[in-house]
Structure formats: C-alpha cells, structure tokens
Amino acid sequence: MHLIRKRETFSVLQAVNSKVKFIYFLSLLLLTLSTKSISFLVLVIIYHSGLCYFSGISLRKLLKIFIEPLFVAIILLVIKSVQLSPLAFNISSFWENLHLALRILAGFSLFITFYFNTLFTEILALLNWLKIPLLLQELIYLSFRFIILLHQEIITIYISQKNRLGYTGFIKALISLKSLIKSSFLNALRVSELTLLAMHQRGFEYKNLVHSLSSLRIRDLYVLLLSISPWVGLWITL
C-alpha cells in the first residue's frame, strides 16, 4: 500500500523521457544482477534511495517502503547463515548470502526510483510500446484502479472504527479487524462492479486511453549515455 502515490511534488526525473528511464532501469538491473561486488550494490542502494528522497519522498515514507524487502533480506540471511543442529553461525555463508540480500535491496531501490518518477499512464504507454497484448494492459490498468479503491475503502472504514474506539482493547481490535476486512472487501467489490457497468454503458475501450510516447531524440540519448556510463565504469572496476 505504500507504493500508492500522490503527485504532490515534481522532480526533474519526471520530465525525462519515459523510454530513457525504462532503459536506464533495465540496464542498471542487469548490472545489479550480474555484479559480484558488494560495494557496487551498496552504491546502487544509497544513490537511488537518495534520488527518491530528493524527488519528494519523505524519509519516513522511504523507510516504510523498504521495510518489506529489508525483512525478506534479513530472514534470508538468518536462514542461510544459522545452523540449528548443532547451533552455529556460518561466517562464509553469511558473506555469500549478504551479496544476495543486497542484490534484493538494490533491485528494489531501482524499481521505486523508476516507479515514483514515472506516471502510471506513462507506464501503460511503455507496455504498449513493448507490444504487450492489450488484454494484459487492460487487466493491469483495472487492477491498479481497484487496488486504489480498496485502499480508500480500508482507510475510510478504519478511521470510522478508530473514532468509535474500535481498537481500544485486544478483543475489540480483533473484532474490528474482522469487520474491516469483510466490509472493505464487499464495498470495494460493489464499487468495482458499478464502475465496470458504467464503463460498459459508456462504450469503454482501453485502447482509447493509451497515449503514444515521444520518440527518443539526440538529447535523450546523451542523457541515457551519461547516466549509464558511470555505472558501467563502476561495475567494471569494482
């Protein structure tokens, strides 16, 4: 839910051609997956987390976003490094799996940098540019829309329950949570059915929503080359 965005700020990265951002994301992801250097992965995490921060994401929200992949990375390290019979800590296995954990965090930092600096309509246009089937594009669009509806329903019901002291005790919290899950799901389902019905009645066609992306210009190619070249250099040297 932390990845649901509100366009409250504008960053320079949002003005960059979407194709350039996508190619940069894929190129850095390939370098991240193929590198054997821990230093390179740490630099990728720090640099792109900093880009997200200067793009308008608060430090608190950034930490919340990183909780889930960080939890996965820590669990992976513990499972791979600790032996239960007999109880022991394997240093060599720890360093080996630290590389994998950092690779997870580096890949995630690349993803959120691309995601928070690219409009969802641009992402759909990129899917169309990549010749993804229209049916799959429409499913992605509708899924994203209904996830937002579900998120809004959960927030509305939770605030209403909290104002009525629904989470004052453990038993009350469990009852309120049960009611929250049931009500939010049913309300979101009802709203989604009404939305789909209205779309069909108005002759909705997904292909009319997709806009074409501007072609790559010489300036865009220079930006892409200048942004990727330092990372290729670091990938080779580190």
Side-chain angles (χ1 to χ4, degrees):
M1 290 300 180
H2 296 306
L3 293 181
I4 295 178
R5 301 166 294 179
K6 293 182 179 179
R7 290 294 178 182
E8 298 174 349
T9 58
F10 178 82
S11 68
V12 177
L13 292 178
Q14 293 176 24
V16 177
N17 191 304
S18 300
K19 295 179 182 178
V20 171
K21 290 184 283 189
F22 182 71
I23 296 173
Y24 173 85
F25 166 71
L26 286 184
S27 302
L28 264 291
L29 186 61
L30 289 174
L31 294 179
T32 298
L33 295 176
S34 60
T35 187
K36 295 181 179 179
S37 171
I38 291 179
S39 301
F40 180 85
L41 295 173
V42 172
L43 286 175
V44 170
I45 295 170
I46 294 175
Y47 178 78
H48 292 92
S49 299
L51 281 181
C52 290
Y53 177 75
F54 288 110
S55 296
I57 304 175
S58 64
L59 185 59
R60 181 180 179 181
K61 185 176 182 181
L62 198 59
L63 291 174
K64 286 182 178 180
I65 292 172
F66 267 95
I67 284 177
E68 293 179 9
L70 185 60
F71 177 77
V72 172
I74 292 174
I75 291 298
L76 179 65
L77 278 175
V78 172
I79 292 175
K80 295 293 185 178
S81 303
V82 177
Q83 298 177 355
L84 297 179
S85 180
L87 186 62
F89 184 79
N90 193 327
I91 297 295
S92 60
S93 179
F94 172 81
W95 287 109
E96 180 181 349
N97 289 283
L98 179 62
H99 182 273
L100 180 59
L102 289 175
R103 186 177 291 176
I104 293 172
L105 295 176
F108 186 76
S109 67
L110 287 171
F111 168 73
I112 62 172
T113 303
F114 171 76
Y115 179 77
F116 278 102
N117 290 283
T118 308
L119 293 171
F120 186 69
T121 53
E122 293 177 347
I123 295 176
L124 293 176
L126 281 170
L127 294 177
N128 190 56
W129 177 60
L130 295 171
K131 306 300 181 183
I132 304 297
L134 280 177
L135 179 60
L136 182 58
Q137 295 182 42
E138 186 174 1
L139 287 175
I140 294 173
Y141 167 73
L142 293 176
S143 299
F144 184 81
R145 175 58 184 163
F146 294 146
I147 286 173
I148 294 177
L149 287 176
L150 180 61
H151 182 247
Q152 292 172 346
E153 288 291 335
I154 290 174
I155 291 177
T156 302
I157 296 172
Y158 174 76
I159 293 176
S160 177
Q161 289 177 330
K162 194 173 182 180
N163 290 337
R164 290 171 173 81
L165 304 178
Y167 294 91
T168 53
F170 181 73
I171 301 299
K172 279 189 177 181
L174 291 179
I175 296 174
S176 298
L177 182 61
K178 176 184 175 181
S179 177
L180 172 65
I181 295 172
K182 180 180 177 180
S183 300
S184 58
F185 176 77
L186 293 177
N187 288 342
L189 186 62
R190 177 180 55 82
V191 173
S192 64
E193 289 177 349
L194 292 175
T195 303
L196 285 175
L197 180 61
M199 290 163 61
H200 286 302
Q201 289 176 345
R202 289 165 175 79
F204 166 78
E205 289 190 16
Y206 171 77
K207 61 183 180 181
N208 296 331
L209 295 178
V210 181
H211 69 277
S212 58
L213 296 173
S214 58
S215 57
L216 291 173
R217 296 170 292 181
I218 299 297
R219 184 183 65 182
D220 297 326
L221 295 177
Y222 281 143
V223 171
L224 181 61
L225 183 62
L226 289 174
S227 59
I228 293 179
S229 297
W231 290 110
V232 174
L234 289 172
W235 182 81
I236 295 173
T237 55
L238 297 177

